[in-house]
Amino acid sequence: MIENRKYIIIGVFCLIGLVYLSRLFYLQILDDSYSLESSSNSIKRVIEIPYRGQIYDRNGKLIVYNSPVYDLYVTPKKVSIPDTLAFCRLVGLEQTEFDSIMNHAKAYSYVKPSLFLRQLSKEDFARIQDALVDYQGFEHVTSSMRTYPAHTMANTLGYVAEVSKEQLEAQETPYYRQGDYIGRSGLEKQYESVLRGQRGIKFVMQNVRGVVKGSWKNGAFDSLAVAGKNLHTGIDVEIQQYADTLMQNKVGSVVAIEPSTGQILCMVSAPTYDPNILSSRHFSKSYAQLAKNPYKPLINRPIMASYRPGSTFKLIQALVAMQDGAVMPSSIFSHAGVPMKCHCYRSGRLNISGAVQYSCNPYFYHVFRRLLYNNAERNTFKASATGLQHWHDMVSKFGIGQKLGIDLPGELKGSLPDADYYNRMYGENHWKFSTVYSLSIGEGELLINPLKMANVAAIIANRGWYYTPHIVSGIGKAGEGIDPKYVEKHEVGINPQYFEHVIEGMQGAVEHGTVTAAATIPDIVICGKTGTSQNKKGKDHSIFVAFAPRENPKIAIAVFVENAGWGGIAAASVASLVIEKYIKRQVFDHALDKKVKEANYLPAITPPQKPAPKKIEPPRKDSVAKPLMVKATPPQPTAPATAEAKSSIASRPAPTSEN
C-alpha cells in the first residue's frame, strides 16, 4: 500500500514537471511575444495613423481631403542634444519655445513619446530628416492635415484639433494618445468614429543610433492602418459658395433643403471664415483671433442662433387653425378691436390666402384667438390654458420647440411656450389670451433657428410631411450607411387640401404681395413668406422662407439677415438668387446680384471709450510760499466728457449671437 502511494506521488511530480517543461518550450521556442518585449532596445514599435475619410458634395466634388504631413515626437528620457541652439535653428524654434515643449513632454511622461512638433510639410521634413539622426530621443510619424479646397462651410464641416487631457481621461476604450487629432466640431465631430479609421502598428529593426534597418520578422506582427470611411453629402458646393458671396458683409444664415429627401443643399453661417486656417500648425493663434471677432464667426447660426420667427410663423398658424376647424379657408375678419397694426389696409376683405399674401396681423390675431377658444368653456383662464396646450401640441409636430435631430452637434431646440410655461411665469390663473396674443404673429416667447424654418418650407412644399434634415447622404458609398432615422417620413397631421390655400397666398406674396418685385424670377413659380423679427437691441431682422417651383418642388429655403429690416427686401432677394442659381445653374438678374453682394448690414461695433484723463491744475503763484496751508481738491472729469463716455458705452450693440 505504501509502495503504491510512492509511485502515485512520483507520477504527480513527473506530470507537473512535464507541464512546466511544455510551457517553457512554448514560451521560449514557439511564442515570439516575449522575444518582442525583450528586443525593445533593437525593435521599434511604430504607430501608423490612418488617413481620415474624405468628404464629397452631391456631385462628387471633394470638399475635404488629406494632405500628408509629418509629426515629430520626443521621448524625454532618450533625448541627447549636444547643441541646443543648433537644434533649435534646425527645427525653427526659439529657445523659450523648445524649453516649454520639453517641460510639457516631461510633465506628461518621462519615458513615453509625446508630440514635439506637428504638421511638418514634406519639404520641411526632408530638410531635417538626415540631421535628426544626430539627436536621440526624436522620432517622426506620418500624419495628415485636413485641406478644404472649396474654402467654404467652415461651421458645418467643423475642424480637427489635438485631443484634450479631459478627452483622454474620459475614454472608455483607450484609443487616443497625447498629440492625436480628434474632430472637435461640425461633421468632423459628429462622424468622428467613422472618419478616423483604425490605426496600425509596424515593428522595425533599428541600430544603436536609431537608424531603421528594415521590417522585423517580415512584418509578421504588423497590423495595417485602415483609412476612415468617406462621407457623401447632399451639399451642392457650387450653390454653397454662391450663397456665401451673397452673405458677405452680413450677419445671418441661409439654409436650403431638398424637400423630397431632407438633404441639405447649402448651409451658410455668416460671417464665415476659411476652414483651412484652423487646419494648420498655427491653430491656437487662428482660433483665438476668430474667438475675439465681435461678429462671432465660430457660432453655427443655422442651428445655434435663436430668433423670433415673426410673420413666417403665420404659415403654421393658418394650417393649424384650418385643421382644428377654428377657421375656414374663406373666413374673413375685421381689423376692429385688434391691439396690433396692419400694413395691408384691406380690413374685412381678406380670406386666409389673402391674409398670408399681405401678412395681415389683425387677421392672425383673430385666428389665434379662435384657436385658443375653439369649443372651449367660458372660463377665460381654463379656455386659454386648454386651448394653448392643444395649439402647442399641434405646432410641435412641425418641429418647433424641439431638436429636429440634424447630424450636427450643438443644435438648439428653441422655445414653444405652453400653459405650464405661463403658469410658472405669471402664476396659475394669472394669465389669459391678452397675455399671449403676440404669439399669433410669431413674436413673444417663441424662438426658432433658421434650420427649423427651412424645414417648415419643406413641409409645405411636400403638403404635410418631411424627412429629418441631414447633411450626410452616404457613408462609405453614396446612399448607404446613414442612420435610418433620416429616411423615416414624418407627418404633421394637417389635411393636404389646406396646404393649397396657404401655398396660394405664398405665391401671391412673391408675385404681388410683400416681396420686392426684384425678387421674382421669370419661368420659376416661387412660393414664399416674409417675416420681420423684432429685435430690442438694434434694427429688426429680415426673414424669408420659400420653396420652388410650386409643383414638384426642388428646393426649400430660409434666409435670415440680421439688422436688415423688412423681410421682403434683404432676405427675399438672397433667397431668390439662390433659388435661381440652383434650378437654372446660373443667375440672369445681374443687377440684383450686384445689389445684394454690395449691401452691407453689419452692425457697427463701437469700441469702449476710455474716460477722459484727469486734468491736473498747476499750483497758483500765491500758494507756492505756503504750500502746507493750501488744501488741494483732486480735479474731477468734466460733465460733458463723462456723459459722452456713458452714452458711448450704452449705445454699443450686443453680440449678434444673442439677437
Side-chain angles (χ1 to χ4, degrees):
M1 188 69 176
I2 295 175
E3 193 70 23
N4 290 338
R5 287 181 180 176
K6 180 178 73 173
Y7 290 120
I8 291 174
I9 293 172
I10 292 172
V12 169
F13 276 103
C14 289
L15 180 62
I16 294 173
L18 285 172
V19 170
Y20 272 102
L21 287 172
S22 300
R23 181 61 177 165
L24 287 172
F25 177 79
Y26 173 77
L27 292 176
Q28 295 186 14
I29 305 300
L30 301 180
D31 187 6
D32 284 323
S33 60
Y34 284 88
S35 174
L36 175 62
E37 292 295 331
S38 65
S39 302
S40 60
N41 290 328
S42 59
I43 306 301
K44 182 180 179 182
R45 184 173 181 264
V46 179
I47 301 255
E48 289 191 323
I49 305 297
Y51 280 113
R52 288 180 73 85
Q54 301 181 136
I55 303 178
Y56 296 84
D57 85 336
R58 62 172 40 232
N59 299 312
K61 294 181 180 178
L62 264 177
I63 305 176
V64 186
Y65 68 90
N66 305 290
S67 296
V69 290
Y70 299 88
D71 295 335
L72 199 60
Y73 283 79
V74 61
T75 305
K77 186 177 181 180
K78 298 179 181 179
V79 169
S80 175
I81 303 178
D83 188 342
T84 304
L85 289 177
F87 179 78
C88 289
R89 284 195 297 269
L90 175 68
V91 298
L93 290 176
E94 297 291 336
Q95 177 74 48
T96 54
E97 293 177 298
F98 171 82
D99 293 338
S100 176
I101 294 172
M102 290 302 299
N103 288 336
H104 279 94
K106 292 174 182 176
Y108 167 69
S109 174
Y110 205 71
V111 296
K112 294 181 181 179
S114 61
L115 187 66
F116 180 80
L117 207 57
R118 66 167 57 134
Q119 295 180 340
L120 292 169
S121 66
K122 290 186 292 185
E123 294 76 15
D124 288 338
F125 180 71
R127 179 176 56 83
I128 68 172
Q129 184 177 16
D130 292 337
L132 281 178
V133 175
D134 298 326
Y135 300 98
Q136 296 182 17
F138 293 91
E139 57 185 307
H140 74 274
V141 174
T142 304
S143 183
S144 61
M145 181 177 71
R146 297 300 256 176
T147 304
Y148 307 86
H151 307 279
T152 187
M153 292 183 65
N155 294 101
T156 300
L157 296 173
Y159 60 88
V160 295
E162 187 176 344
V163 63
S164 67
K165 181 180 179 182
E166 292 75 16
Q167 289 172 317
L168 287 172
E169 294 174 348
Q171 294 183 90
E172 294 183 4
T173 303
Y175 178 85
Y176 300 99
R177 56 178 185 161
Q178 188 183 35
D180 283 348
Y181 289 94
I182 187 172
R184 297 290 287 271
S185 71
L187 293 179
E188 296 282 11
K189 179 178 181 179
Q190 185 76 17
Y191 290 93
E192 168 65 18
S193 60
V194 172
L195 287 168
R196 75 185 183 189
Q198 183 65 44
R199 64 164 49 113
I201 301 175
K202 183 168 64 175
F203 297 95
V204 296
M205 296 183 294
Q206 62 182 9
N207 62 18
V208 293
R209 294 177 60 83
V211 177
V212 174
K213 293 298 183 180
S215 177
W216 185 69
K217 293 221 172 199
N218 295 319
F221 293 92
D222 294 355
S223 60
L224 296 176
V226 179
K229 293 183 179 180
N230 296 331
L231 298 183
H232 298 266
T233 72
I235 296 293
D236 188 321
V237 74
E238 185 178 346
I239 303 303
Q240 176 75 32
Q241 290 172 320
Y242 179 65
D244 278 340
T245 65
L246 298 178
M247 291 299 288
Q248 292 179 94
N249 299 316
K250 301 170 185 67
V251 177
S253 305
V254 178
V255 181
I257 299 174
E258 185 177 56
S260 60
T261 63
Q263 294 176 17
I264 292 178
L265 300 170
C266 78
M267 180 176 279
V268 175
S269 179
T272 187
Y273 59 93
D274 186 346
N276 287 291
I277 68 175
L278 291 185
S279 67
S280 71
R281 59 198 298 191
H282 306 293
F283 170 85
S284 298
K285 182 179 179 181
S286 300
Y287 187 90
Q289 291 177 342
L290 291 171
K292 292 177 182 177
N293 189 315
Y295 297 113
K296 311 296 183 186
L298 290 172
I299 293 177
N300 193 7
R301 286 179 168 82
I303 62 172
M304 294 180 177
S306 293
Y307 306 88
R308 296 182 179 91
S311 293
T312 58
F313 192 72
K314 294 172 183 175
L315 301 173
I316 298 177
Q317 296 282 48
L319 292 167
V320 168
M322 285 189 288
Q323 180 65 32
D324 197 51
V327 299
M328 300 294 290
S330 58
S331 296
I332 295 174
F333 298 107
S334 168
H335 289 186
V338 178
M340 53 178 63
K341 296 180 180 180
C342 184
H343 48 267
C344 67
Y345 306 110
R346 287 175 170 81
S347 177
R349 290 180 287 163
L350 297 176
N351 59 13
I352 205 158
S353 295
V356 170
Q357 177 178 340
Y358 295 105
S359 196
C360 180
N361 289 337
Y363 190 97
F364 285 95
Y365 171 90
H366 287 296
V367 167
F368 188 52
R369 194 172 189 280
R370 286 278 191 97
L371 267 170
L372 264 60
Y373 290 101
N374 188 35
N375 300 319
E377 55 185 291
R378 293 180 178 275
N379 182 286
T380 303
F381 169 73
K382 289 184 178 180
S384 295
T386 56
L388 184 68
Q389 191 61 49
H390 179 61
W391 167 85
H392 173 278
D393 295 341
M394 295 186 73
V395 171
S396 64
K397 293 180 180 179
F398 287 79
I400 310 299
Q402 58 191 290
K403 294 182 179 180
L404 286 174
I406 185 175
D407 50 346
L408 285 176
E411 181 190 1
L412 299 182
K413 69 177 185 178
S415 173
L416 178 63
D418 56 9
D420 290 337
Y421 176 90
Y422 289 110
N423 286 339
R424 293 192 302 269
M425 180 177 289
Y426 296 103
E428 196 165 350
N429 296 327
H430 286 83
W431 64 275
K432 50 187 178 180
F433 177 75
S434 59
T435 312
V436 301
Y437 72 82
S438 60
L439 297 176
S440 63
I441 58 171
E443 298 294 341
E445 292 75 24
L446 271 171
L447 288 175
I448 53 88
N449 60 40
L451 174 67
K452 284 185 173 64
M453 291 315 299
N455 192 54
V456 168
I459 291 170
I460 298 174
N462 291 330
R463 278 66 170 176
W465 58 270
Y466 71 96
Y467 291 114
T468 300
H470 53 285
I471 304 286
V472 173
S473 59
I475 299 175
K477 295 182 179 180
E480 297 182 3
I482 65 171
D483 193 314
K485 73 177 183 180
Y486 296 123
V487 293
E488 178 184 352
K489 185 181 287 189
H490 303 278
E491 302 281 349
V492 297
I494 306 293
N495 193 316
Q497 67 178 343
Y498 296 132
F499 284 92
E500 295 304 326
H501 299 285
V502 170
I503 291 171
E504 184 69 26
M506 294 174 71
Q507 181 178 342
V510 175
E511 295 178 352
H512 38 77
T514 57
V515 178
T516 175
T520 58
I521 305 174
D523 306 324
I524 299 178
V525 178
I526 299 178
C527 302
K529 180 71 187 77
T530 58
T532 306
S533 178
Q534 294 179 6
N535 175 30
K536 295 180 180 179
K537 300 178 181 179
K539 198 173 181 181
D540 290 343
H541 305 318
S542 176
I543 307 176
F544 186 69
V545 300
F547 67 88
R550 176 167 175 169
E551 304 302 328
N552 191 23
K554 304 296 184 186
I555 181 174
I557 191 169
V559 177
F560 286 63
V561 184
E562 295 187 14
N563 307 289
W566 187 255
I569 299 176
S573 298
V574 172
S576 171
L577 290 168
V578 172
I579 289 172
E580 183 178 27
K581 179 71 171 178
Y582 180 68
I583 293 178
K584 296 185 175 182
R585 306 313 297 180
Q586 59 181 317
V587 172
F588 293 94
D589 193 341
H590 301 295
L592 181 61
D593 175 83
K594 183 174 183 291
K595 182 179 179 180
V596 171
K597 289 178 179 177
E598 291 178 349
N600 188 333
Y601 297 110
L602 288 176
I605 302 296
T606 306
Q609 295 184 0
K610 296 180 180 180
K614 295 181 179 181
K615 184 178 180 181
I616 301 176
E617 300 276 350
R620 292 183 300 171
K621 292 182 180 180
D622 58 355
S623 66
V624 175
K626 297 182 289 185
L628 297 177
M629 298 177 65
V630 177
K631 186 177 181 181
T633 302
Q636 301 294 325
T638 61
T642 305
E644 183 181 356
K646 289 183 178 179
S647 174
S648 173
I649 294 172
S651 64
R652 290 175 61 200
T656 55
S657 60
E658 298 179 1
N659 290 342

